[in-house]
Amino acid sequence: MLRARATLPTIVALAVLVFVLPAATGVARSRLASDGSLLWATVNVCDTADHPDTIGIRGSMPGTGYRQQRMYMRFQLQYLASFDDKKWHNIGAAGDSGWIDVGSAKYRQRQTGRNFTVRPPDTGAFRLRGAVTFEWRDGTEVVKRARLRTTAGHGNTAGADPKGFSRASCVVTK
């Protein structure tokens, strides 16, 4: 009967492979699930003197910790069909940013945004909001996707007008 004898360096190397590596990758992956505070979308510009007839949408997404993965956002502008029926609709191509590469997923968090110019109605008002789709990609493979509607309460948004502005929707009037 043959007996294999493990040396202390071999045991330590196996312990690292079995226990440490899965834990490290689990921490990076769990950042997506556990830190919801880094995943959000907001309206940070709404028809101001400096940005007339403009709605700004900004998003934030957490990284995975993986250098080879990239993060993407897509901003879509939506309008409320009427204040009575409460049905939201995408505006279409004029209100769609397409996919925007926001950088490597190795970072803890990335933010970006898009401004959309709208033609105000001749009478009445438009209520607008944003929908942001987030993707984490490894090459061409989408490893995770999320979609959020804009919400209020995200005061640290770059480009906000006025500073600190964060709302779920925006009303544009003539």
Side-chain angles (χ1 to χ4, degrees):
M1 176 173 184
L2 292 173
R3 284 191 171 164
R5 231 177 134 168
T7 62
L8 185 57
T10 304
I11 292 170
V12 170
L14 287 174
V16 167
L17 288 173
V18 171
F19 296 107
V20 176
L21 288 178
T25 58
V27 167
R29 287 187 188 127
S30 70
R31 188 186 309 165
L32 292 176
S34 67
D35 198 350
S37 66
L38 298 180
L39 183 65
W40 51 259
T42 195
V43 172
N44 70 339
V45 175
C46 180
D47 193 25
T48 64
D50 288 341
H51 295 92
D53 305 330
T54 301
I55 177 173
I57 303 169
R58 190 158 186 87
S60 168
M61 62 190 303
T64 61
Y66 293 116
R67 179 182 311 267
Q68 75 277 11
Q69 292 180 356
R70 299 203 62 81
M71 299 185 294
Y72 293 83
M73 290 186 207
R74 181 180 185 182
F75 299 88
Q76 292 175 298
L77 192 57
Q78 298 182 327
Y79 68 95
L80 191 59
S82 79
F83 290 102
D84 296 326
D85 73 8
K86 305 291 185 210
K87 292 183 182 175
W88 291 91
H89 304 275
N90 286 340
I91 285 183
D96 189 329
S97 69
W99 288 104
I100 299 166
D101 184 342
V102 296
S104 172
K106 72 180 178 179
Y107 298 105
R108 182 172 186 268
Q109 174 189 26
R110 300 292 288 206
Q111 290 186 22
T112 195
R114 283 298 175 263
N115 287 344
F116 296 94
T117 302
V118 295
R119 184 172 171 238
D122 292 331
T123 61
F126 287 143
R127 180 170 297 275
L128 304 167
R129 73 174 181 189
V132 182
T133 306
F134 305 88
E135 283 189 354
W136 294 261
R137 300 178 191 173
D138 192 341
T140 58
E141 179 188 355
V142 176
V143 295
K144 179 153 177 85
R145 175 182 279 179
R147 183 167 168 88
L148 297 176
R149 307 302 189 265
T150 49
T151 57
H154 308 284
N156 64 340
T157 65
D161 181 16
K163 185 177 180 175
F165 184 83
S166 174
R167 298 290 186 274
S169 64
C170 171
V171 175
V172 177
T173 61
K174 183 151 182 123

